[in-house]
Amino acid sequence: MNRTRLNVWIVLLAVAAIAFALVSRPRDGGNPFGAYAAAPLVAGEGLGDIRVGETTLGSFLERFGPGLPSALYGDDTALEFGFARAGLSFRFWLEGACAGTVQALHGTGLRALGDARRFTRDHPECSLQRLSAIEVASGASERATFWRGESTAGVRLRMPREAAIDRLATVPAASGGVLGLGPEAEEAMLVRFVDVDGLQVWFAPDRSSSGADAWIVTRLGVAAR
């Protein structure tokens, strides 16, 4: 009798543990940007409420963590946080004491970011650094692309190049050649397009298509003005 009761309790505990795991598991599969899947990407402003020129490094790390961090060292110093699942990356160009701190951590700074809260606590000079740029990238297919929102003038990821250029041409004040090519442009091959507000649009061949001439929007970026 006691053994039967014990077995019943074991089964009940196992069921409860499984139920708790299912309830507590993030509904987006662990992607911290689930709420931004259709958020607008606006030149000079940002992605939804993640604002270039406003969102601080400390608050960003508190909300989203460091993802896959990388750093740029040299005359200018930056920290970048990539989130492959969402195809998102966020860049902070660093100034003043924070730039010096990250340069001094060269080689170990990225390990320090593994504990994001501790990093901002130990280096308060970095906590208030402002978000400089956001980029969203396409997945290998429509289905594998996380971000389904639209940017300035309705440009979206995986849109055909011709359609995107037509949309960009409707941006106010863009007539008369104000819209132009980025520095990566090659003759007869439009690689990047930059509009008057700073929306950056990258094009590349659609690898999921059998048509070699099918170019699509593969990446979009906005930066602080």
Side-chain angles (χ1 to χ4, degrees), residues 147 149-171 174 179-181 190-195 199-204 214-220:
W147 186 73
E150 293 188 347
S151 62
T152 305
V155 178
R156 63 183 185 277
L157 292 175
R158 303 194 64 80
M159 173 181 279
R161 180 173 63 178
E162 293 76 11
I165 292 174
D166 287 344
R167 294 283 183 89
L168 286 166
T170 68
V171 176
L179 294 180
L181 306 183
L190 183 57
V191 178
R192 192 176 74 175
F193 205 84
V194 184
D195 79 8
L199 175 71
Q200 299 183 46
V201 187
W202 284 263
F203 302 99
W215 281 58
I216 59 172
V217 175
T218 55
R219 190 156 42 116
L220 294 162

Side-chain angles (χ1 to χ4, degrees), residues 40-121:
L41 181 72
V42 182
E45 297 185 16
L47 179 67
D49 63 356
I50 308 175
R51 312 283 288 186
V52 292
E54 295 182 18
T55 297
T56 63
L57 178 59
S59 64
F60 178 87
L61 292 176
E62 179 76 20
R63 290 178 66 187
F64 306 114
L68 181 63
S70 58
L72 173 66
Y73 301 100
D75 293 337
D76 296 307
T77 304
L79 287 173
E80 184 164 305
F81 306 100
F83 298 83
R85 180 181 176 85
L88 298 173
S89 62
F90 303 86
R91 186 177 305 114
F92 291 79
W93 288 104
L94 308 177
E95 299 178 343
C98 181
T101 293
V102 173
Q103 288 174 354
L105 290 172
H106 181 58
T108 62
L110 298 185
R111 282 205 304 274
L113 284 164
D115 187 338
R117 293 183 180 179
R118 181 175 179 179
F119 176 83
T120 53
R121 185 180 67 242

